[in-house]
Amino acid sequence: AGPRGARREGGGAMAAAQERGALALLGPAPGAPCCPHGPALLFVKTSQGKEEGRRFYACSACRDRKDCNFFQWEDEKVSETRLAAREEYNRNHQPSFTHRQNVDRYKNFVLLPLSKRRFCQECQQLLLPAEWEEHLDHQFLCGISTAQLKSPSQLLYPLENKKTNAQYLFADRSCQFLLNLLIDLGFRRVLSVGTPRLHEMIQSKASQEEDFSVRSLLLDIDFRYSQFYTEDEFCHYNMFNHYFFGGEAARETCRKFLDEENGERVIMVTDPPFGGLVEALASSFKKLMAMWKETEKEGRYYSQMEVPMFWIFPYFFESRILDFFPSFSMMDYQVDYDNHALYKHGKTGRRQSPVRIFTNLTPSMIVLPEEEGYRFCTVCQRYVSSGNQHCDICNSCTSKDGRRWKHCALCKKCVKPSWFHCNNCNCCTLQKHSCEKIDVGCFVCGQAGHKRSTCPSLSHT
């Protein structure tokens, strides 16, 4: 299921620049102008000591201006001629076929004999015989089997351009674990937001096993999947601005799927690009949760106010995720990916996968496989990595990265095993570091005690 980890279309127009402290995300804005990826996000340019700089709109999905060069100052007057040109540009940068056309093409494709089933690798498109001549100079695969059509994430090239796309795909181990966990927890509907491999595993089992009752709806910005799934199975969706490319019909498809008819419990599983802006993602996920609440029928009782959710993300984003979802907690399970050199299961030390599951479910409900080195901590009432030893002083299993952490009496918390307390810095840090670095405080207002991301001078969605 596609980690897209830093997956696909990037994540937040100006993520890299924001990390340098030059930009801040203000979020979706009513009446925002559009680029081919839907409504743009509103940013503000900040400079040291000033509360706020000039605001501008930029693409929500692409981090590199080479991939989507949309830019507009918020207070800029745009001429009618330029607006018309922009609309024309947006139309010309939409997919060649509509979702409905792709569904019809698929029906014709599966009727072809195996010898006539071709897939263009350059265009990433299923080809009908009448289209062969247009693709003569392209590389293509022949004899596309039914099994290949049921596993499109393996047929399609992963989008791995690190500046724009980073479409990493769950390894079978992690995918199977997630599915088994969802079934054991009693969920029968899975809203798969950017997790195509989990979606296809559910679809495949549903077509092969009569008693398999789990259903999935894939929301993904990768429109190539519309070639393999119907409108009830896939919605073209941008998770950075909560935009349904299919309009109200697609939004209604999602809303109906979230309606828990016949007691079929629903859960949202999402694996966003790791380079994406957490603020933008959280805003979209809250809007999906609001859609779930809209489906609540009179008299129905929900044990929690949020739709159950698994947010798969690196552990070092824990504080940012908890800022937006205080009810979430991080599990120790290490999610690994097929096509990522570092995020592989079985590596040790700092080479272990940093990707974890954040969830609003009760931690004790999440059973992790003991054969993979997880154990149950009776004090914390949750499964933890075998190297994550309980600290009696912190009264918690404190490790985040799978290694055994150590408690620092001076810092009054557990720290990484490679860190040592520096009396000059008055905190634990790496042994080889520079003590001369002086904390100049917040980049925006210059005050000490907080970072730019939490500066009260900036409004956040």
Side-chain angles (χ1 to χ4, degrees):
R4 285 102 134 91
R7 166 222 183 111
R8 32 175 116 14
E9 304 248 339
M14 304 291 178
Q18 189 196 29
E19 288 304 311
R20 295 194 298 269
L23 301 172
L25 171 68
L26 298 178
C34 292
C35 70
H37 304 94
L41 294 180
L42 183 62
F43 294 83
V44 62
K45 212 164 199 173
T46 59
S47 56
Q48 183 112 26
K50 294 183 180 180
E51 285 192 6
E52 195 172 287
R54 195 175 179 187
R55 301 181 180 206
F56 64 91
Y57 292 103
C59 176
S60 63
C62 297
R63 290 178 292 176
D64 196 324
R65 294 282 298 274
K66 293 177 183 176
D67 299 304
C68 183
N69 63 1
F70 181 86
F71 181 94
Q72 179 185 316
W73 294 111
E74 184 190 30
D75 55 5
E76 183 180 353
K77 300 290 184 184
V78 182
S79 68
E80 292 295 326
T81 303
R82 189 172 158 203
L83 282 174
R86 178 184 293 168
E87 289 178 8
E88 179 69 16
Y89 177 87
N90 290 347
R91 278 196 301 271
N92 291 338
H93 283 76
Q94 294 309 309
S96 304
F97 299 102
T98 65
H99 195 167
R100 168 46 50 190
Q101 288 172 327
N102 273 337
V103 171
D104 291 338
R105 287 165 51 79
Y106 181 86
K107 290 177 181 177
N108 292 328
F109 188 88
V110 295
L111 294 175
L112 295 171
L114 206 60
S115 60
K116 292 191 175 182
R117 290 185 184 180
R118 293 186 180 182
F119 176 77
C120 179
Q121 291 180 293
E122 291 187 39
C123 300
Q124 294 286 282
Q125 181 181 313
L126 297 174
L127 297 180
L128 297 175
E131 301 161 346
W132 289 358
E133 193 171 339
E134 303 170 31
H135 300 262
L136 284 178
D137 297 333
H138 296 177
Q139 295 287 324
F140 54 83
L141 298 175
C142 298
I144 304 299
S145 67
T146 301
Q148 286 175 295
L149 293 174
K150 297 294 183 184
S151 303
S153 71
Q154 298 182 37
L155 185 62
L156 299 169
Y157 283 139
L159 304 175
E160 293 179 329
N161 179 326
K162 288 181 170 53
K163 288 189 176 180
T164 305
N165 308 286
Q167 192 172 12
Y168 304 126
L169 302 168
F170 289 154
D172 283 343
R173 161 192 163 269
S174 290
C175 202
Q176 192 64 62
F177 164 76
L178 283 169
L179 181 54
N180 291 341
L181 179 60
L182 297 175
I183 293 172
D184 292 343
L185 291 170
F187 293 106
R188 293 297 174 263
R189 297 193 189 194
V190 182
L191 185 64
S192 303
V193 185
T195 57
R197 188 157 283 181
L198 177 62
H199 174 74
E200 76 181 33
M201 180 176 281
I202 293 173
Q203 294 289 101
S204 179
K205 285 183 176 290
S207 65
Q208 296 172 18
E209 304 172 18
E210 286 186 17
D211 58 346
F212 188 79
S213 57
V214 181
R215 294 169 54 203
S216 173
L217 173 64
L218 176 63
L219 306 186
D220 204 291
I221 200 169
D222 190 347
F223 190 69
R224 296 177 302 171
Y225 285 103
S226 68
Q227 298 179 87
F228 306 92
Y229 300 122
T230 66
E231 290 101 327
D232 292 331
E233 298 167 336
F234 168 77
C235 292
H236 191 200
Y237 176 76
N238 182 347
M239 71 174 79
F240 291 103
N241 58 5
H242 186 59
Y243 182 67
F244 287 88
F245 292 84
E248 193 54 40
R251 183 182 295 272
E252 182 62 15
T253 296
C254 182
R255 193 200 65 77
K256 283 185 176 179
F257 185 84
L258 291 170
D259 190 0
E260 297 180 356
E261 292 180 337
N262 304 319
E264 293 183 338
R265 297 178 63 208
V266 66
I267 185 170
M268 177 164 56
V269 181
T270 182
D271 184 21
F274 300 160
L277 295 174
V278 174
E279 295 96 323
L281 294 168
S283 175
S284 294
F285 297 156
K286 286 184 176 182
K287 288 174 182 175
L288 287 171
M289 287 182 170
M291 290 177 69
W292 173 74
K293 287 182 182 179
E294 288 173 10
T295 67
E296 181 179 352
K297 291 184 172 63
E298 189 177 350
R300 177 186 291 174
Y301 171 73
Y302 282 109
S303 60
Q304 53 191 40
M305 294 304 294
E306 297 173 336
V307 63
M309 182 174 172
F310 285 167
W311 180 342
I312 296 164
F313 225 48
Y315 70 81
F316 38 82
F317 283 101
E318 181 181 19
S319 62
R320 297 296 293 133
I321 291 176
L322 296 185
D323 281 345
F324 295 97
F325 295 103
S327 63
F328 279 33
S329 54
M330 186 179 78
M331 302 295 97
D332 271 22
Y333 183 81
Q334 296 183 14
V335 180
D336 59 320
Y337 300 100
D338 266 352
N339 57 327
H340 196 293
L342 297 180
Y343 301 167
K344 295 282 190 181
H345 178 61
K347 290 182 178 286
T348 58
R350 298 185 64 187
R351 304 301 268 175
Q352 297 178 81
S353 171
V355 187
R356 302 289 185 268
I357 299 172
F358 294 85
T359 182
N360 50 9
L361 297 176
T362 306
S364 60
M365 298 169 60
I366 313 298
V367 179
L368 304 185
E370 294 182 8
E371 65 273 14
E372 292 185 18
Y374 299 99
R375 60 178 181 82
F376 188 76
C377 176
T378 54
V379 182
C380 294
Q381 284 293 294
R382 69 182 181 98
Y383 279 83
V384 297
S385 171
S386 56
N388 190 358
Q389 297 299 308
H390 191 88
C391 175
D392 293 330
I393 303 172
C394 296
N395 194 29
S396 174
C397 291
T398 52
S399 173
K400 306 292 184 185
D401 60 9
R403 296 178 292 171
R404 183 172 183 171
W405 285 19
K406 60 184 181 182
H407 190 84
C408 175
L410 296 173
C411 290
K412 297 181 180 179
K413 64 178 182 179
C414 287
V415 297
K416 295 179 179 180
S418 56
W419 286 15
F420 296 88
H421 194 86
C422 174
N423 291 323
N424 291 333
C425 298
N426 196 29
C427 67
C428 283
T429 183
L430 290 170
Q431 195 165 22
K432 293 182 179 179
H433 70 283
S434 174
C435 294
E436 288 98 38
K437 224 175 201 179
I438 299 172
D439 186 2
V440 295
C442 173
F443 180 86
V444 177
C445 67
Q447 300 284 325
H450 66 267
K451 296 181 180 179
R452 174 202 51 73
S453 59
T454 56
C455 180
S457 299
L458 287 178
S459 59
H460 285 77
T461 53

